[in-house]
């Protein structure tokens, strides 16, 4: 159990939250949500002891073991996968290291034998002999191979390191698990495995995530950081969202009625306060007016951008034809072979599979790269807008202001026109003059969306558009792509986005594609039935 009493935290003179009193109990999974900068990661760091609160205290029993998802993927490059995961239980790992060092001694003494037997007892008590098989189950569940246990971390791909660090956080049945963005970089199969793991977990789980489907599937409670406070709600993300919207509407309706009544009373008082025959009524209404109050809506830290794509022209009958495309990686590994498909009117296609293959396909379709073989043809009426996975080239070494940066691609360059697009993406007042080379990842993504909305295109290509975005911005992307009347091809780790936007799924494999007409949920059900 974690008990929080009178907690507050100031950062750089800014109050993030105050007067926080909460309890986290075993058997529950708590989803921590809030706008970017609200203090979600900071809150986790306070709970795990990395930061001291400004006031208050966090109480965790001494007998409780806590595990935290580490973000430094290079800190363990000198270790094997097996050792890295085992470090999730530091006591067990330290015993193993000391025990192995004793057995390797050439001058093994009687004292060494006694110490070794003590360590063996402790090792067995901590289920050390089952550790390797548990670690194997964890990394295989996350999509890695058993033989990779003996690989050094330095030899792994970044996506594999992410999985190993997650396995480290889950290893050894900790009483408390703290996960900051655990689904980042995970493929859908690994995410589904993690959902199953956490849903059945006996301990206390705290998770920060921007994945709405993940929060809906695993969370028993939502912890909302907003209004400079932290409140806990029973239920998953969807239940919290619908409830919070309902409460906001009710408050607004109550305020509207109160405002109307106040205006009515004020008008009566102004009309009759000087009239002796009506003065008593005016006085009684003044007393009633004093009792009426408008419930102020607290200023939320959440900000909702608006993403909407208007087409300058409707596409004709011919959209896109892809024929026998093949592409290898730089080391010669096949990314895809003989890839063929036709895009039809109203198709909204989600691409699944290896991320390098998907990005390579996007770059080929946008003529930023060439295929090793095969070709493709766009319809003559098609106009395209592209959201690349890596937007570095658009901002690197650029000292322009945001508004000047956007003007480069605009049909009209008046400040009013450009501010209209930037305002939708939450850039207002003097923020439009901020240099683009100092923007955060989320701000750069919003700039890219403002740029895309300029073009009036009838075909959108988006490679992981929700990376670096908060829940509010992801919801805006979801709404914008759902409402778009043209065609689109996109990739995303966000289950909800794929399931609600795509009406066609194309899974890319090294040997070809699986082409499925229907929702993502239907696609997964079909895959599951084929396996069974």
């Amino acid at each position: 159990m974690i008990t929080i009493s009178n907690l507050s935290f100031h950062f750089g003179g800014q109050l993030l939250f105050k007067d926080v009193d909460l309890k986290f109990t075993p058997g529950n999974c708590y989803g921590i949500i809030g706008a970017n900068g609200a203090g979600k990661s900071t809150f986790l760091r306070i709970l795990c002891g990395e930061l001291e609160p400004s006031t208050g205290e966090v109480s965790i029993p001494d007998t409780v073991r806590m595990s935290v998802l580490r973000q430094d993927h290079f800190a363990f490059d000198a270790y094997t996968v097996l050792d890295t995961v085992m470090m999730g239980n530091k006591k067990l790992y330290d015993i193993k290291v000391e025990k192995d060092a004793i057995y390797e001694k050439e001058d093994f003494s009687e004292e060494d034998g006694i110490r070794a037997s003590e360590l063996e007892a402790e090792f067995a008590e901590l289920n050390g002999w089952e550790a390797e098989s548990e670690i194997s189950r964890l990394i295989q569940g996350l999509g890695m191979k058993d033989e990779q246990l003996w690989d050094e971390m330095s030899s792994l791909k970044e996506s594999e390191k992410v999985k190993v660090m997650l396995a480290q956080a889950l290893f050894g049945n900790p009483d408390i698990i703290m996960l900051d963005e655990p689904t980042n970089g995970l493929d859908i199969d690994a995410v589904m495995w993690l959902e199953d793991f956490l849903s059945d977990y006996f301990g206390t789980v705290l998770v920060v995530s921007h994945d709405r489907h993940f929060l809906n599937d695993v969370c028993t409670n939502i912890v909302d950081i907003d209004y400079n406070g932290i409140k806990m709600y029973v239920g998953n993300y969807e239940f919290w969202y619908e409830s919070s919207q309902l409460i906001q509407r009710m408050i607004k309706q109550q305020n509207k009625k109160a405002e109307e009544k106040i205006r009515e009373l004020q008008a009566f008082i102004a009309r009759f306060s000087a009239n002796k025959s009506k003065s008593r009524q005016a006085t009684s209404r003044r007393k009633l007016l004093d009792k009426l109050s408008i419930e102020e809506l607290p200023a939320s830290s959440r900000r909702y951008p608006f993403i909407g794509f208007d087409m300058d022209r409707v596409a004709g009958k011919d959209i896109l034809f892809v024929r026998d495309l093949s592409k290898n990686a730089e080391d010669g590994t096949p990314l895809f072979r003989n890839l063929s498909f036709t895009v039809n009117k109203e198709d909204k296609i989600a691409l699944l599979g290896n991320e390098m293959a998907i990005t390579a396909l996007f770059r080929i379709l946008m003529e930023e790269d060439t295929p090793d073989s095969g070709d493709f043809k766009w319809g003559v009426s098609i106009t395209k807008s592209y959201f690349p996975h890596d937007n570095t080239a658009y901002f690197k070494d650029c000292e322009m202001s945001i508004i000047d940066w956007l003007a480069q691609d605009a049909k009209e360059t008046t400040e009013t026109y450009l501010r209209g697009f930037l305002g939708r993406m939450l850039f207002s007042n003097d923020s439009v003059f901020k240099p683009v080379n100092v923007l955060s990842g989320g701000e750069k993504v919003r700039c890219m969306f403002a740029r895309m909305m300029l073009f009036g295109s009838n075909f959108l290509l988006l490679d992981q558009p929700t990376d670096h975005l908060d829940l509010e911005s992801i919801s805006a992307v979801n709404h914008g792509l759902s409402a778009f009347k043209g065609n689109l091809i996109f990739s995303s780790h966000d289950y909800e986005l794929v399931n609600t936007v795509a009406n066609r799924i194309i899974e890319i494999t090294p040997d070809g594609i699986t082409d499925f007409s229907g929702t993502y949920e239907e696609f997964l059900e079909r895959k599951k039935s084929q396996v069974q």
Side-chain angles (χ1 to χ4, degrees):
M1 177 185 289
I2 305 174
T3 304
I4 299 170
S5 305
N6 193 34
L7 190 75
S8 68
F9 188 78
H10 292 79
F11 180 75
Q14 177 187 358
L15 175 67
L16 289 183
F17 36 79
K18 64 178 180 178
D19 303 330
V20 178
D21 296 293
L22 294 172
K23 282 187 179 179
F24 299 97
T25 57
N28 289 309
C29 179
Y30 300 87
I32 300 172
I33 63 171
N36 281 347
K40 301 183 294 295
S41 297
T42 299
F43 182 56
L44 281 189
R45 291 180 66 195
I46 291 172
L47 296 188
C48 68
E50 290 182 11
L51 288 176
E52 285 291 327
S54 302
T55 65
E57 63 178 5
V58 176
S59 176
I60 301 173
D62 293 336
T63 55
V64 165
R65 187 168 76 84
M66 180 190 299
S67 185
V68 180
L69 175 59
R70 306 292 175 187
Q71 301 296 333
D72 186 357
H73 302 158
F74 301 98
F76 301 90
D77 276 1
Y79 299 93
T80 64
V81 170
L82 179 68
D83 284 347
T84 300
V85 177
M86 192 180 292
M87 287 180 200
N89 187 338
K90 189 175 185 304
K91 184 177 180 182
L92 176 65
Y93 178 75
D94 289 346
I95 290 171
K96 174 184 176 295
V97 170
E98 185 181 352
K99 181 168 66 76
D100 291 347
I102 291 175
Y103 288 138
E104 288 173 4
K105 293 175 85 172
E106 293 183 2
D107 53 341
F108 191 87
S109 66
E110 183 179 347
E111 289 78 9
D112 290 331
I114 294 170
R115 180 57 181 159
S117 65
E118 293 172 347
L119 292 172
E120 289 289 5
E122 290 184 64
F123 192 72
E125 188 176 339
L126 293 172
N127 295 319
W129 297 113
E130 287 78 42
E132 185 177 325
S133 60
E134 181 188 345
I135 293 170
S136 178
R137 286 195 300 273
L138 287 172
I139 69 162
Q140 288 186 71
L142 289 166
M144 295 176 66
K145 297 175 181 177
D146 182 61
E147 53 264 32
Q148 289 182 285
L149 284 177
W150 313 106
D151 291 347
E152 287 197 354
M153 290 288 288
S154 58
S155 69
L156 300 184
K157 301 174 185 174
E158 183 63 22
S159 60
E160 292 173 328
K161 288 184 178 182
V162 168
K163 292 178 177 181
V164 174
M165 299 312 297
L166 181 54
Q168 183 191 74
L170 303 179
F171 170 69
N173 296 320
D175 301 288
I176 299 170
I177 301 176
M178 294 193 183
L179 305 172
D180 193 352
E181 296 294 353
T183 62
N184 277 5
L186 293 188
D187 54 77
I188 188 60
D189 289 334
V191 172
M192 292 173 69
W193 178 88
L194 179 60
E195 288 173 355
D196 290 340
F197 182 94
L198 295 180
S199 296
D200 295 333
Y201 201 68
F202 69 92
T204 305
V205 180
L206 287 81
V207 58
V208 172
S209 178
H210 290 151
D211 188 325
R212 296 162 295 170
H213 185 269
F214 179 75
L215 291 174
N216 280 333
D217 270 11
V218 304
C219 292
T220 59
N221 300 73
I222 294 295
V223 178
D224 182 26
I225 304 179
D226 202 3
Y227 312 124
N228 294 127
I230 305 178
K231 292 185 178 179
M232 186 184 296
Y233 301 86
V234 175
N236 62 11
Y237 176 77
E238 185 176 358
F239 184 82
W240 167 86
Y241 180 79
E242 294 297 334
S243 300
S244 65
Q245 294 299 302
L246 177 61
I247 291 169
Q248 293 289 302
R249 287 196 297 270
M250 288 173 62
I251 293 174
K252 287 178 181 178
Q253 289 170 1
Q254 290 170 2
N255 285 351
K256 185 177 180 181
K257 290 178 182 178
E259 287 170 352
E260 290 173 354
K261 188 66 175 177
I262 287 171
R263 284 195 294 269
E264 179 187 326
L265 293 173
Q266 287 173 334
F268 184 90
I269 292 167
R271 183 178 177 188
F272 294 111
S273 59
N275 187 321
K276 288 184 179 180
S277 64
K278 299 284 188 180
S279 62
R280 182 173 294 176
Q281 293 181 43
T283 300
S284 67
R285 279 167 172 73
R286 187 176 286 110
K287 290 179 180 178
L288 178 60
L289 180 62
D290 290 340
K291 292 179 181 179
L292 279 175
S293 65
I294 304 296
E295 182 172 353
E296 292 186 9
L297 288 170
S300 174
S301 58
R302 288 184 171 83
R303 301 174 69 202
Y304 292 84
F306 172 80
I307 294 175
F309 301 97
D310 297 320
M311 298 186 295
D312 290 342
R313 62 183 295 188
V314 177
K317 184 178 68 173
D318 294 338
I319 310 294
L320 173 64
F321 304 93
V322 176
R323 294 288 176 265
D324 297 322
L325 279 187
S326 295
K327 183 69 176 179
N328 291 336
E330 290 182 1
D331 63 0
T333 305
L335 294 174
F336 48 81
R337 288 177 179 165
N338 304 319
L339 195 154
S340 298
F341 62 90
T342 299
V343 178
N344 307 306
K345 292 278 281 186
E346 299 182 357
D347 275 350
K348 292 184 175 181
I349 301 172
L351 299 180
L352 306 182
N354 179 278
E355 288 187 13
M356 288 180 61
I358 291 170
T359 295
L361 176 60
F362 276 121
R363 287 174 52 80
I364 289 169
L365 294 178
M366 290 302 298
E367 299 181 27
E368 293 183 354
D369 198 0
T370 55
D372 295 332
S373 62
D375 56 31
F376 63 95
K377 182 180 180 182
W378 290 98
V380 295
S381 64
I382 299 302
T383 53
K384 305 180 290 294
S385 288
Y386 176 44
F387 185 102
H389 192 195
D390 182 2
N391 58 39
T392 304
Y394 292 82
F395 300 97
K396 188 177 181 181
D397 300 325
C398 181
E399 297 180 359
M400 288 184 182
S401 67
I402 294 173
I403 197 166
D404 288 340
W405 178 88
L406 189 65
Q408 297 176 105
D409 298 297
K411 303 169 187 174
E412 184 180 330
T413 57
T414 63
E415 185 172 322
T416 301
Y417 177 77
L418 296 171
R419 276 186 177 275
F421 287 93
L422 292 173
R424 295 179 188 180
M425 300 314 299
L426 308 179
F427 296 109
S428 58
N429 301 324
D430 289 343
S431 68
V432 302
F433 302 117
K434 192 174 180 180
V436 296
N437 60 352
V438 301
L439 297 180
S440 67
E443 288 172 325
K444 288 176 181 177
V445 169
R446 286 190 273 125
C447 280
M448 294 299 294
F449 272 112
R451 179 177 179 273
M452 288 185 73
M453 290 189 289
L454 285 173
F455 297 139
S457 303
N458 54 30
F459 200 113
L460 307 179
L461 300 95
L462 305 103
D463 192 1
Q464 300 296 341
T466 59
D467 284 3
H468 307 293
L469 293 182
D470 57 20
L471 282 164
E472 291 70 42
S473 298
I474 291 171
S475 295
V477 174
N478 204 150
H479 183 270
L481 296 184
S482 295
F484 181 56
K485 302 300 183 185
N487 288 97
L488 64 92
I489 298 178
F490 71 103
S491 66
S492 176
H493 291 135
D494 190 280
Y495 184 108
E496 199 71 18
L497 179 71
V498 176
N499 194 49
T500 56
V501 172
N503 55 24
R504 183 176 169 189
I505 308 294
I506 293 181
E507 184 176 29
I508 300 175
T509 69
D511 298 319
I513 63 171
T514 299
D515 195 339
F516 177 82
S517 292
T519 67
Y520 185 44
E521 203 167 272
E522 291 167 343
F523 171 78
L524 292 176
E525 285 296 323
R526 182 187 175 191
K527 282 191 73 173
K528 191 183 295 184
S529 65
Q530 288 175 340
V531 171
Q532 293 171 347

